[in-house]
Amino acid sequence: GQGSSLMLVDHHCHLDFAQFADDRAGVIERARTAGVGVIVTICTRVKRFPEILAIAQAHDNVFCSVGTHPHQADEETEVTTADLVGLAAHPKVVAIGEAGLDYYYKKSTPANQSESFRRHIRAARETGLPLEIHTRDADEDAARILAEEHAAGGAFPAILHCYTGGVELALRAVELGLYVSFSGVVSFKKSEALREVARVVPLDRLLVETDAPFLAPEPHRGKTNEPAFVVHTAAALARVHDVAPDRFAAATTANFFRLFSKVPRRLAPQELAV
């Protein structure tokens, strides 16, 4: 392990995106220097999974997910739960997704998004790997699908990633055993309502992320986001929860290692590595 309790984790970014093509190794090194001990780079298209896996394989502390983003749900209707489970067998795959519902952009039909979402939930249940859930402007349908799948097949590990929804969906998710993750959006001046939502999520269910290259936190707002900047999101959330930054780092990193059970424990801070 790292020894220091000040380790943070970025469980959701997109290292395969073009913004990082020229300096991916630099981005990963700057994250390490900033105290970000583990990075999970997220799949948005199963057909691009090989290149995402290759990035994870090239770096000891980088892992990946496998899945289809709701924007791509119309393109990848043929991806089955069994396909996801099969690809997830690789040692570097530590999560399913991202999948879910996006009614803001509506790049795919709600029916295809919903079907894909349910297949990913089943893959998460079957593998025991957490599902990275993308939900935007779809709180009611997301809550309903989560509740239906939970009732039909039992609990499954999952995270509402880059949460920007209302308090009801967040609390419902926590009730169902899920985690809620916040990005740089929670640091923006106008995000007071979102900070109020973050305040009601228990510390033992909170995660931090960048969603890089998008949504850089203050003081880097408007620039290309990168995993090192998760430090600023953590600082903003520590203030919201009125806890010291080191205690907040320790809590969210412990949450990550509890949920992402496939990430090697040797990468955990010493107090968790036992």
Side-chain angles (χ1 to χ4, degrees), residues 121-122 124-125 145-157 176 178:
I121 287 172
R122 289 160 195 165
R125 188 188 291 115
I145 289 171
L146 291 172
E148 284 173 5
E149 290 294 328
H150 194 275
F156 49 89
L176 294 172
L178 274 61

Side-chain angles (χ1 to χ4, degrees), residues 11 28 52 86 94 97 108-109 119 121 146 165 198 204 211 245 268 271:
H11 74 87
I28 292 165
I52 291 151
V94 299
S108 297
T109 68
R119 289 195 292 268
I121 287 172
L146 291 172
D204 66 355
D211 204 14
E271 64 271 21

Side-chain angles (χ1 to χ4, degrees), residues 1 18 38 54 64 78 96 123 144 189 202 215 240 251 257 262 271:
V38 177
C64 68
E78 76 293 343
I96 304 293
R144 178 178 53 79
K189 286 180 183 66
L215 304 173
V240 165
F257 279 98
K262 200 170 157 185
E271 64 271 21

Side-chain angles (χ1 to χ4, degrees), residues 8 24 30 43 47 70 84 94 124 129 136 151 155 232 235 265:
L8 286 163
R24 198 174 289 121
R30 286 194 293 279
C43 184
K47 65 181 169 219
L84 295 168
V94 299
L129 302 181
R136 185 161 186 200
H232 302 294
R265 286 303 178 271

Side-chain angles (χ1 to χ4, degrees), residues 40-250:
V40 184
T41 189
I42 300 296
C43 184
T44 58
R45 290 173 164 87
V46 171
K47 65 181 169 219
R48 289 204 25 205
F49 173 69
E51 60 193 89
I52 291 151
L53 180 61
I55 293 169
Q57 285 182 288
H59 303 274
D60 180 55
N61 67 328
V62 179
F63 299 86
C64 68
S65 71
V66 61
T68 303
H69 193 292
H71 289 344
Q72 271 66 55
D74 287 0
E75 290 170 41
E76 297 198 335
T77 52
E78 76 293 343
V79 174
T80 65
T81 294
D83 291 334
L84 295 168
V85 170
L87 293 170
H90 192 284
K92 276 286 187 173
V93 179
V94 299
I96 304 293
E98 59 183 294
L101 305 174
D102 193 314
Y103 294 173
Y104 180 81
Y105 285 111
K106 289 201 179 80
K107 291 187 180 180
S108 297
T109 68
N112 280 342
Q113 290 184 33
S114 156
E115 271 310 298
S116 177
F117 188 15
R118 291 178 190 273
R119 289 195 292 268
H120 284 73
I121 287 172
R122 289 160 195 165
R125 188 188 291 115
E126 202 170 314
T127 57
L129 302 181
L131 171 59
E132 297 261 0
I133 298 172
H134 172 107
T135 172
R136 185 161 186 200
D137 285 8
D139 280 22
E140 278 181 37
D141 281 4
R144 178 178 53 79
I145 289 171
L146 291 172
E148 284 173 5
E149 290 294 328
H150 194 275
F156 49 89
I159 308 133
L160 294 178
H161 114 86
C162 189
Y163 196 69
T164 55
V167 74
E168 281 174 43
L169 175 58
L171 289 176
R172 188 81 184 97
V174 167
E175 244 172 62
L176 294 172
L178 274 61
Y179 290 68
V180 184
S181 177
F182 293 87
S183 70
V185 175
V186 81
S187 74
F188 298 168
K189 286 180 183 66
K190 289 187 173 167
S191 293
E192 196 46 55
L194 187 61
R195 285 188 283 274
E196 287 303 317
V197 174
R199 199 167 275 130
V200 305
V201 177
L203 193 55
D204 66 355
R205 293 299 185 79
L206 267 178
L207 291 170
V208 284
E209 66 176 279
T210 59
D211 204 14
F214 311 114
L215 304 173
E218 301 288 355
H220 301 289
R221 189 169 183 184
K223 302 199 177 80
T224 299
N225 199 7
E226 58 176 87
F229 295 169
V230 79
V231 171
H232 302 294
T233 299
L237 278 167
R239 285 193 296 273
V240 165
H241 270 260
D242 198 25
V243 298
D246 57 347
R247 187 175 158 226
F248 185 83

